[in-house]
Amino acid sequence: MKKEPKIDNHRPYKISHQTLCITAINFEKQSLIGYVELSLYPQKPDLRRLKINSKQCRIYRVCINDTWEAAFLYNDPTLEICQGDAKQRNLDFFQNCHLSAMTAVEADNANGEVTIRLPQEAFPLMADMRAIRISIEFSLDSPKGGVHFVVPNIEGSLAERGAHMFSYGHENSSRLWFPCVDTFSEPCSWKLEFTVDREMTAVSCGDLIEVIYTPDMKKKTFHYYLSTPTAAPNIALAVGPFEILVDPNMHEVTHFCLPHLSSVLKHTTSYLHESFEFYEELLSSRYPYSCYKQVFVDESYVDASSYATMTIFSVDLLHSSRIIDQTFITRRLMATAVAEQFFGAFIAMQSWNDAWLPKGMANYLSSLFIKKTFGNNDHRMTIYKHLQDVCEYEGKVGGLVLDPVGKETNQHFSIKSPHTVSPKYLEVFVKKALLVIRMLEFRLGSELLLQVLNKLQALAFTASQQKFFANTWSNMLVSTSSFLKIIYTVTGKDIQPFIDLWVYQSGCAHFFGNFVFNRKRNVVELEIKQDLNAKGALKYVGPLTVTIQELDGSFNHTFKIEENKTKFEITCHSKSRRNKKKKIPLITGEEVDMDLSAMDADSPVLWLRVDADLQLLRHVIWEQPDYMWQYQLKFERDVSAQLQSIWALEHYPTPQTRLALTDTIENEHCFYKVRMDACSCLAKVANSMVAGWTGPPAMMIMFKKMFGSHSCQAIIRQNNFSNFQHYFLLKTIPMAMANLRTVHCICPPEVMRFLLELFKYNDNSKNKYSDNYYRAALIDAMSATITPAVTPVVISELGKSTDSLTADTKQFLEEITRCLNLEKLLPCYRHTVTVSCIRAIRSLQKFGHLPNDPELFKSYAAYGVFRDVRLAAFNAIVDFIKVDRNSETLKWLLNMIETDPDILVRHGALQLLIENPPFRKSDNNPLNTDSLVERLWKMMNSSLSHDSRLRCGIADLYYVLYGRTRPTCLAIPESVLVLNLKEKTTMLNPTIVPEKTEDELFDEMSQAEETTPTKGTQSEDIEMIDVDVTPEKKPFFVRGESHDHRETGTKRKASSPLTDLRPNLESSVLNVKPEPVQSDEGSGFKLKIKMKSDSESPSTSGQPPPPPLLLPHPPERKRESSVSRLSEDSSSPSHAPQSLSDVPSTPSGPSKPLPPIATPGSHALDLTTKPPTEGEGSSSKHHKAKKKKNKHKHKHKHKHKHKHDRPDKKEGKDKEKSEKPEKERHIDLYSSGTSNFNSPAIQAEAPSSPDFEVI
């Protein structure tokens, strides 16, 4: 058996347990504060530093065993992907940098954003390989990702307004809301504590142990414990005034919803216990956890997000018993969420390369449940359409590799990280994973495959009951190699060739063929070829099944597909029948009468099918006469064969095809989705036969016969949707008829009248089901009848006029207006009618019946409108932009994509823009400007750094608009940049700090602590600067402006973020001690900043200094002396509360109270922290740093000056020094673990360590 390259996990420690405690949540300020404790075991005795993941969290202090402070560095290269590059604008360059940045913080590579240096006191524990506890205090303020707050802007208390919050993420994104090791390969047990307001409920993973109220009874703390080892990405939290429903059929299952929705919650979840029973019986294994929770929230990231013991759903999935259409969607999602508890949460992926296994297994289990619930036909059709989607994606976009170990594809993005792949790729990736697991079912057999899944569950359950040891919990992770071993153990079969073909490679097999019948030899001569030159094609060698339906029955033949062999022969079992009538046996065992007059009298073959059971990933183009397709449609019982026949018959517009399609639509025994597709096909056939079509329009008589009144078929009966097949046909037939066209390419007038009469006579008064989807379908049908206007409507001086509209169009417009007005008074479920009206109005605009105006759509796209309506409005706006080439509307749309509060709407609007782009590569379009290039580049480079899905979506849009090379609209050709590119090849990635540089930073910190003089002593080579840090209400850091000041193609200013960091990061150490002074304001004080001399702080001659130290204003508060510190994200606003009221209260109740919060003045700045621009914090006075030069360090190449705004006032020696433009000071790039910056009244001695350091 071929061995898979094993991922070398260099992580020098193992986590056994983690505690997450959120001590306060502030909904108004959208912030939370808390701490984590990680219990870890070192894996090597010389462990000196460790890396963990934390993004956008503000870290105050890191403590070892609650005793020793630990120093730490913060460095996040994903905040700005392409740093130091002003001219590169090709996508390949971006994706290379993107993958490098993600790899630099990937926990599977033993990396992370935060590097913790263990104190010397902990070295003996490392040498003895003993466990340690690392405590990290942190806060999160106005998060850009990871946590979403929903606070409706209405009157009332938070609970009355339905305010709630929840965590979310794209794959492994828990680092966005708490420090952790953010990988699926590091499971551990969890203790979770959340303190919330009294009227709120906190829902999280694990068992709820207890709820403790604070002494004042205003807050309460929820204590959860998860004993089953679980990875950090599978931890979630939801807090809100939830209504709670315990499942009446399974008391271990609890459902949570927002206020006033409990009635629909009860109906929606009433069937859920069936999925648990099905999976447990199928796998012969119990549900792996002791409880399960479903939480329905508003503005969810996706419709369903699964975590350990809980799933967060969108509230839009809830429905009442009157709704039909939504039931199918909701039940699929819930069934899949339960399956993901078995594979995804309990058994997780070893690494991203193995993601196809849990995703494929969970969807395979849910597909079996859907098969049981909705029937085999629905299951077969779903599989067939998944197969079409995968083949279409690989043929149009590019290869899709399930296990990308050591391999890339021809995509415009890297597939080696979940945070670099396209959202559309991930969507199709899950479908392909399901298909490959299903192919394994055919290869191994259904029972053996279930035994393999049972074995995985049994091993994982046994491992989960064990106490922590080095590799005790490894069986809770699944990888491609371990999966192969278990299959070999259970079945004795080696499926390595199968994995090599379908998992390690991309592509689908492309077959095309035909056949002829040799009457003399009574054989069918087949010719089957593979198209290896097609995009996404895979060279397949192996068995292929051909099914032939003869007069005497159906027979399967298996052929071996080889490289050079394309011709095969099938000996027929039947003889041709001349004038002999006999029933034809089908593959299902039934016998039917057929009219054989259309077939060849000499041939016994009725039809042929290739790979009838969908055992391969393949695309088949099969040629056979039209009568065979007609026979196959009418008599083949497999829905995939019927669909294939319908799509083939579109190209044979004959009366026989018309008859076959009509019979299918009227056949009550045919699957309703096949009948719906037959309606659409019949409309296309009728349009092709329009010159020779006789009788009324297609499907008119059929519809009146099925749904017309008994006394007058012209009038439709009262609605009765108890027959679901008739219900879906009732919606589909009008839509198909609306696509009919006359020889003049307009909709037949009788069809227009027929549709308007359906509006008129629609009566739902005695129907127990809602007709909202039916009314929406009628509006969609009417909009499909619209054809281009003869004279487009324009806006005259008298305003908009409808005088030039035709009578039918004017009547339709009145109907739309009536429906919209009615919707405002009595909105229907999910506003389906409003959505259809928006689409219809855009169709009227597009075809010239109404003037083009996006303002109506913008009003419907505003935040606060229902999500489906907003997306429909965005769709209309995207179409408007493409047709009218309106640059202002495009800018507005990009602003919405970048800033809209609803995260799913942002993603949806972006996907609509990708599917219908305003222009394509090299188009001569006025929208194709360099400003648009810069806008999109900035969005994917830095603005959307906290949402990988949105960032990758922007990269997809960039690819659609400009391809992988430099956009042609940019003035500077790519060849001019060769020199720049050559220079960049020798530059160290400025965001990835090598270990050697980390050592230098740590050494500088140690030196600073050792050489700090006591108060009252000052060496001659120490320079003093007075810095006014008078408190100010305005925060120092401004959200969203981290990179706004940078100009394209210009050198970095000294006041800009440090983007040209070289390997040598040594700098001076800056020591700050507060010293009380008299101030006019009374509350102000000054700090003396002590700079190291040339001898103490060697610096590279000519090397650019780091950015100057800029101090945020401390709040006006007194606090006890404490040792605390923090780290700050460069693109985040100032996380420090600006006043005591800004800090969420820390009630008693949790097992460990939070220590006093460090003031903003004591925090450690990020490597890329942006100084304020002119006008920000204007009342404060910033010092002017001075540059020191040292000739003993290596030089760097680029040369530029560093300029800073000069403060308005300087005193004494500082003013004289500020007049020397050639000197600037360096500041320390490292943050010490301690901080003694206190209020002037408390400070008595000089600090023993630096107070301000940059990390």
Side-chain angles (χ1 to χ4, degrees):
M1 182 184 293
K2 179 183 173 182
K3 290 189 177 181
E4 175 190 347
K6 188 177 180 181
I7 296 178
D8 188 10
N9 192 339
H10 299 288
R11 195 178 305 112
Y13 59 88
K14 286 282 186 181
I15 295 181
S16 61
H17 178 77
Q18 181 162 348
T19 298
L20 168 61
C21 179
I22 304 297
T23 56
I25 299 175
N26 191 322
F27 279 88
E28 297 295 343
K29 299 184 179 300
Q30 299 191 1
S31 61
L32 56 86
I33 194 165
Y35 67 89
V36 296
E37 282 187 0
L38 292 86
S39 300
L40 56 87
Y41 285 80
Q43 298 296 294
K44 58 181 185 179
D46 58 343
L47 179 62
R48 295 296 180 265
R49 76 170 58 83
L50 49 89
K51 295 186 178 183
I52 63 170
N53 299 109
S54 180
K55 190 178 177 76
Q56 79 177 344
C57 293
R58 184 182 189 189
I59 297 178
Y60 292 86
R61 185 176 66 164
V62 178
C63 191
I64 309 299
N65 288 353
D66 296 329
T67 305
W68 308 300
E69 295 284 339
F72 66 92
L73 292 169
Y74 176 81
N75 179 48
D76 186 4
T78 65
L79 295 177
E80 188 176 5
I81 299 299
C82 303
Q83 296 196 15
D85 174 79
K87 299 178 181 178
Q88 284 290 342
R89 291 296 178 268
N90 70 79
L91 200 54
D92 284 343
F93 176 79
F94 172 82
Q95 292 299 347
N96 289 333
C97 294
H98 195 185
L99 180 61
S100 299
M102 294 311 307
T103 304
V105 295
E106 186 57 53
D108 280 332
N109 297 326
N111 291 325
E113 293 86 355
V114 177
T115 303
I116 300 173
R117 180 182 183 181
L118 299 177
Q120 291 186 355
E121 294 85 350
F123 290 175
L125 298 177
M126 299 298 100
D128 297 339
M129 305 284 280
R130 292 164 58 188
I132 60 172
R133 279 183 299 106
I134 298 180
S135 303
I136 303 174
E137 299 162 12
F138 71 96
S139 66
L140 194 59
D141 187 22
S142 299
K144 297 179 181 178
V147 175
H148 187 57
F149 288 84
V150 182
V151 185
N153 188 19
I154 55 178
E155 295 181 355
S157 65
L158 289 175
E160 292 169 348
R161 292 151 62 187
H164 60 287
M165 59 83 70
F166 57 91
S167 62
Y168 69 90
H170 177 75
E171 297 298 329
N172 56 324
S173 298
S174 290
R175 69 189 75 183
L176 287 169
W177 66 287
F178 69 95
C180 59
V181 179
D182 198 9
T183 173
F184 289 96
S185 63
E186 196 65 46
C188 64
S189 56
W190 291 79
K191 181 181 179 183
L192 307 162
E193 300 176 1
F194 307 100
T195 300
V196 297
D197 293 339
R198 177 171 181 163
E199 63 271 19
M200 296 288 182
T201 301
V203 187
S204 189
C205 304
D207 296 306
L208 179 60
I209 305 301
E210 59 183 350
V211 180
I212 301 178
Y213 283 81
T214 56
D216 58 6
M217 299 300 288
K218 291 183 178 180
K219 293 182 180 293
K220 55 186 176 182
T221 302
F222 289 79
H223 294 255
Y224 288 91
Y225 187 75
L226 183 57
S227 59
T228 303
T230 303
N234 281 324
I235 299 298
L237 169 66
V239 176
F242 298 123
E243 295 185 0
I244 304 172
L245 172 66
V246 178
D247 196 295
N249 299 292
M250 290 185 67
H251 299 309
E252 303 91 344
V253 179
T254 313
H255 314 286
F256 301 84
C257 69
L258 295 171
H260 314 301
L261 295 175
S262 56
S263 59
V264 289
L265 174 70
K266 186 174 182 180
H267 172 75
T268 304
T269 59
S270 60
Y271 85 102
L272 186 67
H273 65 282
E274 298 177 10
S275 60
F276 281 95
E277 295 167 0
F278 178 81
Y279 295 141
E280 289 182 345
E281 182 179 352
L282 187 71
L283 294 171
S284 301
S285 175
R286 287 191 58 81
Y287 173 66
Y289 299 106
S290 57
C291 63
Y292 180 63
K293 300 170 280 286
Q294 291 191 148
V295 189
F296 293 84
V297 300
D298 194 17
E299 299 182 12
S300 62
Y301 184 69
V302 289
D303 285 336
S305 300
S306 293
Y307 304 94
T309 75
M310 71 178 291
T311 302
I312 296 179
F313 290 101
S314 169
V315 73
D316 300 337
L317 299 179
L318 295 174
H319 59 86
S320 69
S321 58
R322 288 174 51 82
I323 305 300
I324 298 175
D325 301 59
Q326 185 63 41
T327 302
F328 298 91
I329 301 170
T330 300
R331 291 195 179 185
R332 287 177 188 274
L333 288 170
M334 286 190 178
T336 304
V338 175
E340 287 173 344
Q341 294 298 305
F342 291 88
F343 294 98
F346 184 59
I347 296 180
M349 67 183 85
Q350 175 73 47
S351 69
W352 168 243
N353 294 337
D354 312 303
W356 71 278
L357 283 166
K359 292 181 185 295
M361 292 172 186
N363 282 276
Y364 171 74
L365 291 179
S366 66
S367 70
L368 295 181
F369 177 73
I370 295 302
K371 179 180 178 180
K372 171 183 174 290
T373 306
F374 298 140
N376 183 61
N377 285 337
D378 190 273
H379 169 70
R380 291 277 299 181
M381 179 166 280
T382 301
I383 294 297
Y384 187 62
K385 291 193 172 178
H386 281 356
L387 180 60
Q388 300 300 317
D389 291 342
V390 171
C391 293
E392 181 182 3
Y393 182 87
E394 299 214 48
K396 290 184 177 179
V397 181
L400 200 157
V401 181
L402 292 182
D403 189 339
V405 56
K407 193 168 188 176
E408 284 284 8
T409 63
N410 55 347
Q411 302 276 16
H412 61 276
F413 50 84
S414 172
I415 61 173
K416 291 187 176 181
S417 169
H419 301 284
T420 60
V421 299
S422 162
K424 183 66 176 177
Y425 179 94
L426 274 181
E427 179 185 330
V428 184
F429 177 91
V430 174
K431 296 178 180 178
K432 185 171 182 178
L434 163 61
L435 293 174
V436 170
I437 295 294
R438 186 176 174 274
M439 291 165 62
L440 266 180
E441 178 187 9
F442 287 106
R443 181 65 61 95
L444 302 176
S446 178
E447 291 186 4
L448 286 178
L449 178 59
L450 291 176
Q451 287 181 26
V452 170
L453 301 184
N454 171 267
K455 183 71 172 178
L456 286 169
Q457 288 287 321
L459 290 174
F461 182 78
T462 303
S464 68
Q465 303 303 310
Q466 305 296 319
K467 293 186 177 180
F468 174 79
F469 195 65
N471 291 313
T472 306
W473 297 333
S474 60
N475 282 334
M476 301 187 70
L477 305 173
V478 62
S479 66
T480 305
S481 58
S482 66
F483 185 60
L484 291 180
K485 292 177 183 176
I486 289 180
I487 288 179
Y488 186 78
T489 302
V490 173
T491 68
K493 296 182 179 180
D494 180 11
I495 63 164
Q496 185 67 51
F498 174 88
I499 299 294
D500 290 340
L501 183 62
W502 300 112
V503 176
Y504 290 142
Q505 291 189 56
S506 64
C508 301
H510 284 239
F511 297 113
F512 64 94
N514 51 41
F515 70 94
V516 293
F517 175 69
N518 189 323
R519 183 170 58 86
K520 292 182 179 180
R521 299 174 55 205
N522 197 34
V523 298
V524 175
E525 298 175 352
L526 294 174
E527 184 178 18
I528 302 176
K529 296 181 180 179
Q530 292 192 67
D531 184 4
L532 301 178
N533 296 323
K535 186 176 181 180
L538 174 72
K539 184 178 181 180
Y540 175 71
V541 177
L544 181 67
T545 302
V546 176
T547 303
I548 181 171
Q549 176 67 50
E550 302 180 25
L551 295 174
D552 289 345
S554 181
F555 306 95
N556 291 330
H557 301 271
T558 302
F559 301 103
K560 178 71 174 178
I561 301 297
E562 299 175 359
E563 291 190 33
N564 300 321
K565 187 175 182 180
T566 59
K567 295 186 178 180
F568 309 91
E569 290 185 351
I570 299 176
T571 302
C572 292
H573 297 74
S574 314
K575 295 287 185 179
S576 61
R577 296 180 186 171
R578 293 180 179 271
N579 303 321
K580 292 181 182 180
K581 287 191 175 181
K582 187 179 178 182
K583 289 191 174 182
I584 310 297
L586 302 178
I587 194 170
T588 57
E590 62 179 310
E591 295 184 350
V592 295
D593 289 318
M594 290 189 191
D595 180 8
L596 303 179
S597 59
M599 67 179 294
D600 184 359
D602 294 330
S603 173
V605 179
L606 292 172
W607 66 80
L608 270 81
R609 297 178 60 202
V610 176
D611 188 31
D613 291 328
L614 311 178
Q615 297 185 21
L616 301 175
L617 289 177
R618 84 295 187 277
H619 176 67
V620 177
I621 299 176
W622 189 248
E623 296 178 2
Q624 62 185 14
D626 60 342
Y627 70 85
M628 290 189 175
W629 291 119
Q630 294 158 12
Y631 283 144
Q632 182 173 318
L633 173 60
K634 293 176 66 174
F635 300 107
E636 177 63 67
R637 299 299 181 242
D638 182 10
V639 292
S640 63
Q642 293 170 341
L643 283 181
Q644 188 181 15
S645 304
I646 289 172
W647 296 340
L649 287 175
E650 290 182 11
H651 307 291
Y652 299 98
T654 62
Q656 291 77 16
T657 296
R658 172 184 175 181
L659 179 61
L661 292 170
T662 303
D663 290 344
T664 301
I665 297 172
E666 294 180 335
N667 186 359
E668 293 289 340
H669 299 289
C670 189
F671 185 49
Y672 75 94
K673 289 186 178 180
V674 174
R675 297 169 73 183
M676 292 165 62
D677 279 14
C679 292
S680 302
C681 181
L682 182 56
K684 296 176 183 177
V685 170
N687 288 338
S688 300
M689 297 174 58
V690 62
W693 188 272
T694 56
M699 295 172 279
M700 176 87 69
I701 296 177
M702 193 187 316
F703 184 89
K704 292 180 177 179
K705 180 180 176 182
M706 295 174 66
F707 306 108
S709 174
H710 297 294
S711 57
C712 178
Q713 287 193 349
I715 299 177
I716 189 174
R717 292 195 296 265
Q718 284 185 323
N719 293 341
N720 181 7
F721 299 160
S722 56
N723 186 324
F724 288 169
Q725 288 210 38
H726 286 178
Y727 165 70
F728 286 106
L729 283 176
L730 181 67
K731 294 194 309 175
T732 304
I733 292 178
M735 185 66 190
M737 292 177 64
N739 290 316
L740 295 174
R741 295 292 181 266
T742 65
V743 290
H744 302 293
C745 295
I746 62 173
C747 186
E750 53 265 50
V751 172
M752 299 280 288
R753 290 194 297 272
F754 167 74
L755 293 176
L756 289 172
E757 286 177 355
L758 292 181
F759 280 107
K760 181 179 180 181
Y761 295 115
N762 179 45
D763 182 2
N764 204 59
S765 59
K766 295 183 179 180
N767 189 12
K768 69 176 182 178
Y769 296 104
S770 172
D771 69 339
N772 63 302
Y773 284 96
Y774 170 58
R775 289 186 287 128
L778 290 181
I779 296 173
D780 288 337
M782 282 300 300
S783 62
T785 64
I786 300 173
T787 50
V790 179
T791 56
V793 175
V794 295
I795 302 177
S796 63
E797 296 179 357
L798 301 177
K800 301 176 183 177
S801 173
T802 59
D803 295 338
S804 61
L805 295 179
T806 63
D808 289 337
T809 305
K810 189 180 297 185
Q811 199 171 356
F812 176 42
L813 185 58
E814 291 173 356
E815 187 64 34
I816 291 177
T817 306
R818 184 186 70 83
C819 290
L820 280 175
N821 290 333
L822 183 62
E823 275 283 277
K824 294 187 184 216
L825 298 174
L826 297 171
C828 64
Y829 177 72
R830 294 193 70 135
H831 299 271
T832 52
V833 174
T834 302
V835 169
S836 294
C837 288
I838 290 175
R839 287 198 290 258
I841 292 172
R842 178 56 199 158
S843 295
L844 289 169
Q845 288 185 355
K846 191 173 182 179
F847 289 111
H849 299 281
L850 292 177
N852 270 342
D853 185 9
E855 295 306 317
L856 172 68
F857 305 126
K858 287 183 179 180
S859 65
Y860 277 107
Y863 177 68
V865 181
F866 185 69
R867 180 179 280 174
D868 291 0
V869 177
R870 299 189 68 200
L871 289 176
F874 278 121
N875 193 24
I877 291 172
V878 167
D879 188 64
F880 171 82
I881 292 171
K882 182 173 183 178
V883 174
D884 279 38
R885 302 182 176 185
N886 190 302
S887 60
E888 292 302 319
T889 307
L890 179 58
K891 291 178 182 177
W892 175 89
L893 180 60
L894 291 177
N895 285 336
M896 295 294 286
I897 291 173
E898 191 170 5
T899 62
D900 193 86
D902 193 331
I903 38 190
L904 185 58
V905 166
R906 297 166 67 186
H907 171 67
L910 179 57
Q911 292 304 308
L912 291 171
L913 195 58
I914 294 171
E915 293 167 6
N916 189 20
F919 58 89
R920 296 278 181 176
K921 182 182 178 182
S922 302
D923 283 357
N924 186 13
N925 191 300
L927 298 178
N928 187 2
T929 62
D930 55 352
S931 62
L932 178 61
V933 174
E934 297 303 326
R935 174 73 183 273
L936 295 177
W937 186 268
K938 180 183 176 183
M939 288 174 71
M940 67 182 183
N941 187 40
S942 58
S943 299
L944 303 175
S945 60
H946 295 84
D947 190 341
S948 297
R949 182 177 69 175
L950 211 55
R951 170 180 263 173
C952 294
I954 292 292
D956 285 348
L957 177 62
Y958 197 90
Y959 173 73
V960 169
L961 298 180
Y962 305 112
R964 302 172 70 157
T965 56
R966 181 181 177 83
T968 55
C969 62
L970 296 183
I972 304 176
E974 198 161 10
S975 58
V976 176
L977 302 178
V978 171
L979 182 60
N980 270 354
L981 288 172
K982 186 175 180 181
E983 290 178 355
K984 297 300 180 187
T985 56
T986 60
M987 177 191 294
L988 176 73
N989 188 333
T991 62
I992 303 173
V993 181
E995 202 167 288
K996 180 179 178 182
T997 308
E998 287 179 357
D999 290 335
E1000 294 173 354
L1001 297 177
F1002 282 122
D1003 291 342
E1004 281 194 11
M1005 181 277 301
S1006 301
Q1007 269 189 352
E1009 291 179 344
E1010 293 172 1
T1011 59
T1012 301
T1014 58
K1015 183 177 180 180
T1017 64
Q1018 179 179 343
S1019 176
E1020 292 182 359
D1021 55 357
I1022 300 291
E1023 300 172 348
M1024 304 295 293
I1025 298 178
D1026 286 346
V1027 180
D1028 188 357
V1029 288
T1030 304
E1032 184 184 19
K1033 293 182 180 179
K1034 185 174 181 180
F1036 180 78
F1037 294 93
V1038 182
R1039 181 176 181 179
E1041 296 185 5
S1042 300
H1043 308 289
D1044 289 350
H1045 67 287
R1046 185 170 304 163
E1047 297 179 2
T1048 305
T1050 59
K1051 296 282 187 178
R1052 179 182 65 82
K1053 297 182 179 180
S1055 60
S1056 66
L1058 184 63
T1059 59
D1060 287 326
L1061 188 63
R1062 294 297 192 266
N1064 179 20
L1065 297 178
E1066 292 191 11
S1067 61
S1068 304
V1069 175
L1070 182 88
N1071 293 328
V1072 183
K1073 61 178 181 179
E1075 183 172 307
V1077 296
Q1078 296 297 327
S1079 173
D1080 295 337
E1081 293 81 10
S1083 60
F1085 56 91
K1086 291 189 176 182
L1087 302 178
K1088 288 205 171 183
I1089 300 179
K1090 168 162 44 81
M1091 305 301 297
K1092 294 179 68 174
S1093 64
D1094 291 345
S1095 60
E1096 286 181 293
S1097 55
S1099 174
T1100 304
S1101 177
Q1103 181 178 347
L1109 179 69
L1110 296 171
L1111 307 178
H1113 305 293
E1116 297 178 336
R1117 59 177 286 201
K1118 294 184 179 181
R1119 55 187 278 287
E1120 297 178 0
S1121 178
S1122 66
V1123 184
S1124 59
R1125 63 167 320 285
L1126 55 92
S1127 170
E1128 185 166 70
D1129 186 307
S1130 65
S1131 67
S1132 301
S1134 176
H1135 298 283
Q1138 298 302 312
S1139 65
L1140 183 60
S1141 62
D1142 291 350
V1143 182
S1145 61
T1146 308
S1148 59
S1151 60
K1152 177 180 176 181
L1154 186 71
I1157 306 304
T1159 62
S1162 64
H1163 80 284
L1165 293 177
D1166 182 358
L1167 279 175
T1168 58
T1169 300
K1170 178 200 168 194
T1173 57
E1174 186 175 352
E1176 296 175 4
S1178 56
S1179 62
S1180 64
K1181 303 171 184 178
H1182 304 294
H1183 75 280
K1184 182 169 184 176
K1186 301 191 175 182
K1187 186 168 74 174
K1188 295 290 182 179
K1189 297 183 178 179
N1190 191 316
K1191 300 179 181 180
H1192 302 293
K1193 295 290 182 180
H1194 61 276
K1195 299 180 180 180
H1196 67 286
K1197 295 179 181 179
H1198 75 281
K1199 299 177 181 178
H1200 55 270
K1201 296 180 180 179
H1202 299 267
K1203 298 180 181 180
H1204 303 284
D1205 296 333
R1206 181 169 300 181
D1208 296 336
K1209 297 180 181 180
K1210 288 287 180 179
E1211 297 180 5
K1213 190 173 182 179
D1214 297 326
K1215 184 173 182 181
E1216 296 175 5
K1217 292 174 181 176
S1218 66
E1219 295 174 357
K1220 300 177 181 179
E1222 73 280 357
K1223 286 190 176 182
E1224 293 179 350
R1225 287 187 182 81
H1226 280 207
I1227 59 173
D1228 186 17
L1229 293 177
Y1230 172 69
S1231 164
S1232 167
T1234 59
S1235 172
N1236 294 333
F1237 176 59
N1238 301 307
S1239 63
I1242 298 176
Q1243 180 70 27
E1245 296 182 359
S1248 59
S1249 64
D1251 288 287
F1252 292 89
E1253 297 85 18
V1254 177
I1255 59 171

